[in-house]
Structure formats: structure tokens, C-alpha cells
Amino acid sequence: MASGGGAVREVGSRAELDAAVGGARAAAVHFWAAWCEASKQMDEVFAHLAVDFPHALFLRVEAEEQPEISEAYGVTAVPYFVLCKEGKPVDTLEGANPASLANKVAKLAGPANVAQPAAPASLGVAAGPAVLEKVQEMARQNGSSAAESTLKKRLEQLVNSHPVILFMKGNPEEPRCGFSRRVVDILKQEGVEFGSFDILTDNEVREGLKKFSNWPTFPQLYCKGELLGGCDIVIAMHESGELKDVLKEHNIPLTQQGSKIEEPVMSESANEQSPEAIGLTEAQKARLESLTNSNPVMIFIKGSPEEPKCGFSGKVVHILKQEKIPFSSFDILSDDEVRQGLKVLSDWPSYPQVYIKGELVGGSDIVMEMHKSGELKKVLTEKGIIRKESLEDRLEALISSSPVMLFMKGNPDNPRCGFSSKVVNALKGAGISFGSFDILSDEEVRQGLKTYSNWPTFPQLYYKSELMGGCDIVLELEKSGELKSTLSE
């Protein structure tokens, strides 16, 4: 690009940089590598400054591709700005701070050459309208993102503020809808202490919680931070006795005012009695055992894996999918005989229930603990349900996880090296959908892939599990116009 007149010129060598800086009245030399969204935004601000200060010279250097220049100017992080006058550096700025950059450029280059220079409080020194507009746009974007993050943290704090909390219309003393009143009555009958939040008093919480919980209506009842469900689910759990069981399982204290009769505790000898003596016929017992053995991994949940009807069921489904464990499921809401009978057969009072080869593993808390410790995968491997994964197996699974798969430094939104950024931009520019893996997050994959592919550097691009190559090959295909057709054969 041509220098001056509102443009930014790319610099390709140390000699070219020295010649340009030596003849410039003022120059903001931008050492840039696209490794985060902030760097990209600052690059746009840098371009806008070139418009607002047309008499200054603006140069951009790819830090990773020009290590000699980066070393000469002491660049350790990007973006990094060097301001020069009469061929000598007079000031520097490290990091993404558009207001500071505008101030420094304006101080060195003089007021922006516009009819009505802008002097916002955030800039301090007069800057032109182009950079002002960009800074304001960034502020709006950052403000929106910050607001969403703040709301999410607030909702997380609210749902975890009490062991049991009800989001309702009104309050327990004065419910403002029949459904909320019904849930309050049930919780009082169960003898459980609970917190509440009136969603009519805060529309931000009211609308935010719908998205947060993926549950469109109120009331919403949470136990230990997990959604149990709405009015219909709570009524069904109360009538079946399951609500009390869930509360006990999660160590929620109950007072004596609860109206439900406690089930008698059976001794070990009682458990050895015939199925008829404990409430199951031989036919019922055979059916339940057949169901628990119908798949190596079997889960009994509320709803389906696609539409779980309670938070605990949803959590178990998510874990199994995350671990890529094949499983089958049974919706206990669809069959009350199974729902009640399985409690007797398993001697486990609540749902979900997870079985491996017909043996009960436990409920959501146990599965979550096993998942966090790595024991779940270990047990499944020992049982022969999943085979022990070798590094080659893992690499093959990663490579085939998407038709077009990019192994890169960082991710498509935040590339951590210039070469990765160029490949991402080429793929996006060609309108190609692709999966990605951050090799900086896993040293085993990073080193293993070099041997597996016989390709020593990153990024690496695969198409239908075949290595296409690295940055140079992708850019050549882009330049020839063959990138999209090659990755669509």
C-alpha cells in the first residue's frame, strides 16, 4: 500500500523500514501479529489514524515474519507501536489501548487536519473523526460483551445463593401466579427451606434466566445450582415421592412438617427376600433387568438426550457426550411402572440412574465425580466398552472430526501466530467451514502430529483426513483461486 494520504504501508525488511523512518516527519511504526481480537481491533484503529493524520507516515511490520526488526526495537508482545521523529524513536506503546495511541500520535504529528477536530475526554488530545468513531465502536462492543458476562456471573451467583432456590412471580408469602403458588405449597409440604427471587422485580434476570437455563417459563426450581424444572415437573416429583429423595440425595435438610410418609429402611436380610416380598413380581424384575442390560451403557433419565427434562439428567447426558461414550436411554416419565420399580430394584431413590453392563454406577453426583477424576473412562475401558486410546487413535479421531480440519496455534477467533491467522483468513475468505484444534493446549498432540504427518511445523490443514499442507500451500491455493474447489471435491 502507498504511504501517506490515509494509508498504511507494509514493511518487508529492515532496510526498507530504516529508509522509510529516516525520511518521515513523524511515524507510528506498528509491529503487529494477529494473535487476539484486541490486536485486530488495534490494527483497524491504526488504519483510521492514517486517515486522520495524512501528513504522518504509518508503517506496519509483521512481527513474526521480521524477527530482526522485532529484536532491534525490543518487541516482546504485540501489538507494539514505535513513534519516530527525524529518523529516531521518541516514544513507544505496548498493548491494545486506542486512546493512548491516538494521544501519542496527535502529540507528535499535531492536530488532525479536519474542519472540526474531535476532542473526546477518552482521547484527551484532538483526534480526527475516523479514529473517534472506531474507538466509540470498540467501547460499545466491549460494553455489550462486558454486560453479558456480568449478567451471567450474576445469574450463577443467584442460582447458587441457596441450596434450593425458586425463581417465581411474587414471593412465597404472596405468589403472583397459580403455578408459583403451587410450587411454594409443595416445598412447604416437603419441609424444605428455600430461597426465592421475584422475577417480576427484575426484567434482566427474568429474560436472562430463560436463556441461562434453556427453560422458557416460570417458576423455575434449582437444587445445588442445577435446574430441577418447572411447575409440572415439581408436581410430578412431589406426587411420586421423588422430590424428597432428590433433596435427601443432595443433603438438603428437611423439617418434620413435610406431609410425605418416609419409606421404611430395609435391613440386609430384607434385601435378600423374594421380589414379591419387596414389591416386584418376577415379570417386573425380569423386565427391569432386561432394560438395564439392553445396552452396555444405559441411562434412565427424565426426558430424552435431545430434550432432558431436568438439570441433573441434562448434566449426565452432557458428560457422556463429552466423553464420546455410546449409550442408550429410557425416559422414566413415560412409564411409571419402570420409574417406581427401578427404585426398588436398584435401591436408589432418585433419577437419573446410570448402568454399566447392568450394574448401577449411581446418579448425577457420582457420574460427575467420576468424570472429573478420569475414573469414568477408566471403568469403561476396564469393562471393555471402550478400548484404550493410543496417541495414533486420538490423532486420527481429531483429524477426522471435521471434513476440513486445521491444527493451529490458538483458535479461529484468536490466532496465536501470523501463519495461523493467514490460513484462517484464507479459509474464511473462501467461505469454507472448518474445525480447528489449538496445538498450544496439548503438547502430546503437538509433538505427535509432527511425526504422524511427517510435517514439522504448524499450522497443518487436513481435508477428509488427508494432509493438505501448511501456510504456504494454502496461500498458493488461495492465490490461484483453487482453494475452495480443492476443499470441495
Side-chain angles (χ1 to χ4, degrees):
M1 289 184 269
S3 64
V8 180
R9 194 175 84 191
E10 300 283 352
V11 175
S13 70
R14 174 69 184 274
E16 184 182 349
L17 176 65
D18 290 342
V21 171
R25 170 175 173 263
V29 183
H30 181 192
F31 295 89
W32 180 79
W35 66 279
C36 68
E37 190 62 32
S39 295
K40 295 178 183 177
Q41 290 178 329
M42 285 301 294
D43 193 53
E44 293 179 36
V45 171
F46 193 58
H48 285 305
L49 281 168
V51 175
D52 285 345
F53 297 93
H55 298 300
L57 178 65
F58 291 83
L59 308 172
R60 187 174 72 184
V61 181
E62 287 284 355
E64 290 189 345
E65 295 182 8
Q66 304 295 333
E68 180 187 5
I69 297 176
S70 297
E71 185 176 350
Y73 284 88
V75 179
T76 58
V78 292
Y80 189 86
F81 302 87
V82 180
L83 289 91
C84 302
K85 192 166 187 177
E86 298 177 355
K88 297 180 180 179
V90 295
D91 202 355
T92 61
L93 175 66
E94 180 179 310
N97 189 327
S100 293
L101 178 61
N103 281 337
K104 289 177 180 291
V105 171
K107 182 178 179 181
L108 187 62
N113 186 20
V114 292
Q116 293 182 332
S122 60
L123 296 181
V125 178
V131 71
L132 174 60
E133 181 180 353
K134 183 59 187 176
V135 171
Q136 290 173 336
E137 177 190 343
M138 289 174 64
R140 287 192 298 270
Q141 292 174 348
N142 293 337
S144 175
S145 176
E148 290 179 3
S149 177
T150 300
L151 177 59
K152 183 178 179 182
K153 289 180 181 178
R154 185 184 176 204
L155 295 175
E156 288 175 347
Q157 291 173 346
L158 282 172
V159 300
N160 286 285
S161 61
H162 295 80
V164 178
I165 184 167
L166 177 65
F167 292 84
M168 60 181 291
K169 295 179 180 179
N171 58 63
E173 290 70 37
E174 295 182 4
R176 298 284 297 276
C177 80
F179 300 110
S180 294
R181 182 184 300 278
R182 185 70 189 275
V183 174
V184 167
D185 290 343
I186 286 174
L187 293 176
K188 289 181 177 179
Q189 289 177 38
E190 292 283 2
V192 58
E193 293 185 5
F194 63 96
S196 69
F197 186 94
D198 181 1
I199 53 96
L200 297 178
T201 65
D202 194 317
N203 197 57
E204 184 181 53
V205 171
R206 180 177 185 173
E207 296 305 319
L209 202 61
K210 293 177 183 179
K211 182 178 179 181
F212 179 86
S213 64
N214 194 28
W215 195 273
T217 59
F218 293 95
Q220 294 181 16
L221 182 65
Y222 288 77
C223 175
K224 293 288 183 77
E226 295 291 338
L227 176 69
L228 286 180
C231 183
D232 290 346
I233 296 291
V234 174
I235 291 173
M237 292 177 70
H238 171 65
E239 292 177 346
S240 69
E242 188 177 349
L243 181 57
K244 188 182 295 292
D245 295 333
V246 168
L247 296 172
K248 286 183 177 180
E249 182 184 346
H250 289 85
N251 299 314
I252 306 298
L254 303 177
T255 66
Q256 296 301 314
Q257 68 188 58
S259 62
K260 291 287 181 180
I261 300 175
E262 298 284 351
E263 293 182 2
V265 178
M266 296 183 180
S267 64
E268 292 185 6
S269 59
N271 287 329
E272 296 172 358
Q273 296 178 31
S274 66
E276 291 84 357
I278 60 172
L280 291 178
T281 66
E282 287 290 352
Q284 289 172 330
K285 184 172 182 289
R287 184 190 176 204
L288 294 172
E289 289 177 344
S290 175
L291 284 172
T292 59
N293 284 280
S294 60
N295 193 278
V297 178
M298 188 73 189
I299 62 173
F300 294 81
I301 63 175
K302 295 175 181 177
S304 66
E306 294 72 31
E307 294 185 9
K309 293 196 173 179
C310 81
F312 299 110
S313 295
K315 181 71 74 175
V316 168
V317 168
H318 176 72
I319 288 172
L320 295 178
K321 287 183 176 180
Q322 186 178 352
E323 293 275 15
K324 296 183 179 178
I325 298 168
F327 65 95
S328 292
S329 67
F330 186 94
D331 180 6
I332 53 96
L333 298 177
S334 67
D335 192 316
D336 197 58
E337 183 180 70
V338 171
R339 180 177 185 172
Q340 302 304 328
L342 204 57
K343 294 179 185 179
V344 177
L345 181 73
S346 64
D347 193 26
W348 194 268
S350 62
Y351 292 95
Q353 293 183 15
V354 180
Y355 291 78
I356 297 179
K357 289 200 169 178
E359 294 183 8
L360 176 69
V361 173
S364 60
D365 285 352
I366 291 178
V367 173
M368 281 189 278
E369 289 174 7
M370 292 176 69
H371 169 61
K372 289 178 181 177
S373 67
E375 187 181 354
L376 181 60
K377 186 164 282 188
K378 181 179 178 182
V379 169
L380 292 166
T381 302
E382 291 173 352
K383 295 281 187 180
I385 295 170
I386 59 175
R387 66 189 180 95
K388 188 173 182 179
E389 187 178 50
S390 66
L391 176 57
E392 185 174 348
D393 292 333
R394 189 176 175 213
L395 294 176
E396 288 177 351
L398 284 171
I399 290 169
S400 62
S401 62
S402 177
V404 180
M405 188 67 187
L406 177 63
F407 291 83
M408 61 181 289
K409 294 180 180 178
N411 59 62
D413 295 323
N414 298 306
R416 297 288 297 276
C417 81
F419 302 110
S420 294
S421 177
K422 287 181 178 180
V423 173
V424 167
N425 290 337
L427 293 173
K428 289 182 176 179
I432 297 169
S433 297
F434 62 97
S436 69
F437 185 90
D438 180 6
I439 53 96
L440 297 178
S441 68
D442 195 312
E443 188 66 19
E444 184 182 51
V445 170
R446 181 178 186 172
Q447 299 304 328
L449 203 59
K450 294 178 182 179
T451 303
Y452 179 89
S453 64
N454 194 28
W455 193 272
T457 60
F458 293 95
Q460 294 182 15
L461 183 68
Y462 290 77
Y463 177 56
K464 292 185 176 179
S465 299
E466 295 292 332
L467 177 66
M468 298 295 297
C471 181
D472 289 346
I473 292 177
V474 173
L475 295 183
E476 286 176 9
L477 289 170
E478 179 190 33
K479 187 176 181 180
S480 67
E482 299 176 6
L483 183 59
K484 187 167 185 177
S485 59
T486 301
L487 298 180
S488 303
E489 293 176 353

